[in-house]
PDB file of all heavy atoms in Angstrom:
ATOM      1  N   SER U 115      11.850  16.354 -12.284  1.00  0.00           N
ATOM      2  CA  SER U 115      12.428  16.983 -11.100  1.00  0.00           C
ATOM      3  C   SER U 115      11.914  18.410 -10.928  1.00  0.00           C
ATOM      4  O   SER U 115      11.677  18.852  -9.806  1.00  0.00           O
ATOM      5  CB  SER U 115      13.956  16.975 -11.198  1.00  0.00           C
ATOM      6  OG  SER U 115      14.407  15.642 -11.067  1.00  0.00           O
ATOM      7  N   LEU U 116      11.720  19.120 -12.030  1.00  0.00           N
ATOM      8  CA  LEU U 116      11.173  20.477 -11.915  1.00  0.00           C
ATOM      9  C   LEU U 116       9.760  20.410 -11.330  1.00  0.00           C
ATOM     10  O   LEU U 116       9.366  21.274 -10.548  1.00  0.00           O
ATOM     11  CB  LEU U 116      11.166  21.161 -13.279  1.00  0.00           C
ATOM     12  CG  LEU U 116      12.562  21.611 -13.755  1.00  0.00           C
ATOM     13  CD1 LEU U 116      12.541  21.985 -15.234  1.00  0.00           C
ATOM     14  CD2 LEU U 116      13.066  22.789 -12.911  1.00  0.00           C
ATOM     15  N   GLY U 117       9.011  19.380 -11.684  1.00  0.00           N
ATOM     16  CA  GLY U 117       7.680  19.206 -11.105  1.00  0.00           C
ATOM     17  C   GLY U 117       7.761  19.003  -9.609  1.00  0.00           C
ATOM     18  O   GLY U 117       6.986  19.579  -8.844  1.00  0.00           O
ATOM     19  N   SER U 118       8.722  18.218  -9.160  1.00  0.00           N
ATOM     20  CA  SER U 118       8.763  17.959  -7.713  1.00  0.00           C
ATOM     21  C   SER U 118       9.412  19.093  -6.930  1.00  0.00           C
ATOM     22  O   SER U 118       9.133  19.239  -5.735  1.00  0.00           O
ATOM     23  CB  SER U 118       9.437  16.620  -7.398  1.00  0.00           C
ATOM     24  OG  SER U 118      10.434  16.316  -8.297  1.00  0.00           O
ATOM     25  N   LEU U 119      10.242  19.916  -7.560  1.00  0.00           N
ATOM     26  CA  LEU U 119      10.854  21.019  -6.811  1.00  0.00           C
ATOM     27  C   LEU U 119       9.868  22.164  -6.565  1.00  0.00           C
ATOM     28  O   LEU U 119      10.051  22.961  -5.644  1.00  0.00           O
ATOM     29  CB  LEU U 119      12.105  21.529  -7.532  1.00  0.00           C
ATOM     30  CG  LEU U 119      13.298  20.561  -7.492  1.00  0.00           C
ATOM     31  CD1 LEU U 119      14.474  21.114  -8.263  1.00  0.00           C
ATOM     32  CD2 LEU U 119      13.707  20.258  -6.057  1.00  0.00           C
ATOM     33  N   GLY U 120       8.835  22.250  -7.417  1.00  0.00           N
ATOM     34  CA  GLY U 120       7.739  23.169  -7.104  1.00  0.00           C
ATOM     35  C   GLY U 120       8.015  24.644  -7.341  1.00  0.00           C
ATOM     36  O   GLY U 120       7.354  25.493  -6.738  1.00  0.00           O
ATOM     37  N   ASP U 121       8.962  24.963  -8.191  1.00  0.00           N
ATOM     38  CA  ASP U 121       9.237  26.381  -8.488  1.00  0.00           C
ATOM     39  C   ASP U 121       8.498  26.756  -9.775  1.00  0.00           C
ATOM     40  O   ASP U 121       8.787  26.221 -10.852  1.00  0.00           O
ATOM     41  CB  ASP U 121      10.748  26.584  -8.653  1.00  0.00           C
ATOM     42  CG  ASP U 121      11.094  28.056  -8.782  1.00  0.00           C
ATOM     43  OD1 ASP U 121      10.225  28.849  -9.238  1.00  0.00           O
ATOM     44  OD2 ASP U 121      12.228  28.432  -8.425  1.00  0.00           O
ATOM     45  N   ARG U 122       7.553  27.701  -9.646  1.00  0.00           N
ATOM     46  CA  ARG U 122       6.717  28.036 -10.804  1.00  0.00           C
ATOM     47  C   ARG U 122       7.495  28.671 -11.945  1.00  0.00           C
ATOM     48  O   ARG U 122       6.996  28.778 -13.060  1.00  0.00           O
ATOM     49  CB  ARG U 122       5.593  28.985 -10.376  1.00  0.00           C
ATOM     50  CG  ARG U 122       4.613  28.302  -9.482  1.00  0.00           C
ATOM     51  CD  ARG U 122       3.190  28.633  -9.881  1.00  0.00           C
ATOM     52  NE  ARG U 122       2.293  27.957  -8.958  1.00  0.00           N
ATOM     53  CZ  ARG U 122       1.059  28.350  -8.727  1.00  0.00           C
ATOM     54  NH1 ARG U 122       0.593  29.412  -9.336  1.00  0.00           N
ATOM     55  NH2 ARG U 122       0.294  27.671  -7.899  1.00  0.00           N
ATOM     56  N   ALA U 123       8.724  29.094 -11.668  1.00  0.00           N
ATOM     57  CA  ALA U 123       9.545  29.655 -12.745  1.00  0.00           C
ATOM     58  C   ALA U 123       9.738  28.625 -13.854  1.00  0.00           C
ATOM     59  O   ALA U 123      10.023  28.984 -14.995  1.00  0.00           O
ATOM     60  CB  ALA U 123      10.905  30.086 -12.196  1.00  0.00           C
ATOM     61  N   ALA U 124       9.544  27.357 -13.529  1.00  0.00           N
ATOM     62  CA  ALA U 124       9.755  26.307 -14.532  1.00  0.00           C
ATOM     63  C   ALA U 124       8.552  26.139 -15.450  1.00  0.00           C
ATOM     64  O   ALA U 124       8.664  25.479 -16.489  1.00  0.00           O
ATOM     65  CB  ALA U 124      10.064  24.985 -13.833  1.00  0.00           C
ATOM     66  N   ALA U 125       7.395  26.714 -15.082  1.00  0.00           N
ATOM     67  CA  ALA U 125       6.169  26.432 -15.834  1.00  0.00           C
ATOM     68  C   ALA U 125       6.286  26.873 -17.293  1.00  0.00           C
ATOM     69  O   ALA U 125       5.960  26.108 -18.209  1.00  0.00           O
ATOM     70  CB  ALA U 125       4.977  27.113 -15.158  1.00  0.00           C
ATOM     71  N   GLU U 126       6.739  28.080 -17.523  1.00  0.00           N
ATOM     72  CA  GLU U 126       6.812  28.604 -18.888  1.00  0.00           C
ATOM     73  C   GLU U 126       7.776  27.777 -19.763  1.00  0.00           C
ATOM     74  O   GLU U 126       7.392  27.339 -20.850  1.00  0.00           O
ATOM     75  CB  GLU U 126       7.198  30.095 -18.837  1.00  0.00           C
ATOM     76  CG  GLU U 126       7.098  30.823 -20.153  1.00  0.00           C
ATOM     77  CD  GLU U 126       5.756  30.650 -20.856  1.00  0.00           C
ATOM     78  OE1 GLU U 126       4.716  30.675 -20.167  1.00  0.00           O
ATOM     79  OE2 GLU U 126       5.761  30.429 -22.093  1.00  0.00           O
ATOM     80  N   PRO U 127       9.003  27.535 -19.303  1.00  0.00           N
ATOM     81  CA  PRO U 127       9.899  26.688 -20.116  1.00  0.00           C
ATOM     82  C   PRO U 127       9.328  25.289 -20.356  1.00  0.00           C
ATOM     83  O   PRO U 127       9.510  24.722 -21.438  1.00  0.00           O
ATOM     84  CB  PRO U 127      11.183  26.599 -19.280  1.00  0.00           C
ATOM     85  CG  PRO U 127      11.113  27.692 -18.298  1.00  0.00           C
ATOM     86  CD  PRO U 127       9.673  28.063 -18.117  1.00  0.00           C
ATOM     87  N   LEU U 128       8.635  24.709 -19.374  1.00  0.00           N
ATOM     88  CA  LEU U 128       8.027  23.388 -19.564  1.00  0.00           C
ATOM     89  C   LEU U 128       6.958  23.449 -20.655  1.00  0.00           C
ATOM     90  O   LEU U 128       6.881  22.578 -21.521  1.00  0.00           O
ATOM     91  CB  LEU U 128       7.414  22.895 -18.249  1.00  0.00           C
ATOM     92  CG  LEU U 128       8.382  22.301 -17.226  1.00  0.00           C
ATOM     93  CD1 LEU U 128       7.722  22.205 -15.853  1.00  0.00           C
ATOM     94  CD2 LEU U 128       8.877  20.917 -17.669  1.00  0.00           C
ATOM     95  N   LEU U 129       6.139  24.517 -20.593  1.00  0.00           N
ATOM     96  CA  LEU U 129       5.048  24.661 -21.548  1.00  0.00           C
ATOM     97  C   LEU U 129       5.589  24.723 -22.986  1.00  0.00           C
ATOM     98  O   LEU U 129       4.953  24.239 -23.923  1.00  0.00           O
ATOM     99  CB  LEU U 129       4.239  25.920 -21.202  1.00  0.00           C
ATOM    100  CG  LEU U 129       2.853  26.067 -21.821  1.00  0.00           C
ATOM    101  CD1 LEU U 129       2.013  24.829 -21.582  1.00  0.00           C
ATOM    102  CD2 LEU U 129       2.159  27.304 -21.254  1.00  0.00           C
ATOM    103  N   GLN U 130       6.771  25.300 -23.127  1.00  0.00           N
ATOM    104  CA  GLN U 130       7.362  25.414 -24.474  1.00  0.00           C
ATOM    105  C   GLN U 130       7.614  24.036 -25.100  1.00  0.00           C
ATOM    106  O   GLN U 130       7.644  23.915 -26.323  1.00  0.00           O
ATOM    107  CB  GLN U 130       8.657  26.215 -24.413  1.00  0.00           C
ATOM    108  CG  GLN U 130       8.378  27.712 -24.311  1.00  0.00           C
ATOM    109  CD  GLN U 130       9.624  28.520 -24.032  1.00  0.00           C
ATOM    110  OE1 GLN U 130      10.732  28.037 -24.241  1.00  0.00           O
ATOM    111  NE2 GLN U 130       9.423  29.739 -23.556  1.00  0.00           N
ATOM    112  N   LEU U 131       7.799  23.026 -24.260  1.00  0.00           N
ATOM    113  CA  LEU U 131       8.023  21.684 -24.817  1.00  0.00           C
ATOM    114  C   LEU U 131       6.757  21.098 -25.445  1.00  0.00           C
ATOM    115  O   LEU U 131       6.824  20.100 -26.153  1.00  0.00           O
ATOM    116  CB  LEU U 131       8.561  20.732 -23.733  1.00  0.00           C
ATOM    117  CG  LEU U 131      10.089  20.590 -23.684  1.00  0.00           C
ATOM    118  CD1 LEU U 131      10.776  21.907 -23.419  1.00  0.00           C
ATOM    119  CD2 LEU U 131      10.499  19.582 -22.625  1.00  0.00           C
ATOM    120  N   LEU U 132       5.616  21.727 -25.138  1.00  0.00           N
ATOM    121  CA  LEU U 132       4.356  21.258 -25.735  1.00  0.00           C
ATOM    122  C   LEU U 132       4.056  22.010 -27.036  1.00  0.00           C
ATOM    123  O   LEU U 132       2.989  21.812 -27.624  1.00  0.00           O
ATOM    124  CB  LEU U 132       3.191  21.450 -24.763  1.00  0.00           C
ATOM    125  CG  LEU U 132       3.297  20.759 -23.411  1.00  0.00           C
ATOM    126  CD1 LEU U 132       2.003  20.950 -22.620  1.00  0.00           C
ATOM    127  CD2 LEU U 132       3.598  19.271 -23.571  1.00  0.00           C
ATOM    128  N   ALA U 133       4.979  22.840 -27.488  1.00  0.00           N
ATOM    129  CA  ALA U 133       4.753  23.640 -28.702  1.00  0.00           C
ATOM    130  C   ALA U 133       4.380  22.714 -29.850  1.00  0.00           C
ATOM    131  O   ALA U 133       4.934  21.628 -30.001  1.00  0.00           O
ATOM    132  CB  ALA U 133       6.019  24.426 -29.044  1.00  0.00           C
TER     133      ALA U 133
END
Side-chain angles (χ1 to χ4, degrees):
Chain U
S115 291
L116 286 167
S118 33
L119 289 178
D121 187 334
R122 292 225 181 157
E126 189 51 41
L128 280 165
L129 196 52
Q130 282 171 18
L131 265 60
L132 302 185

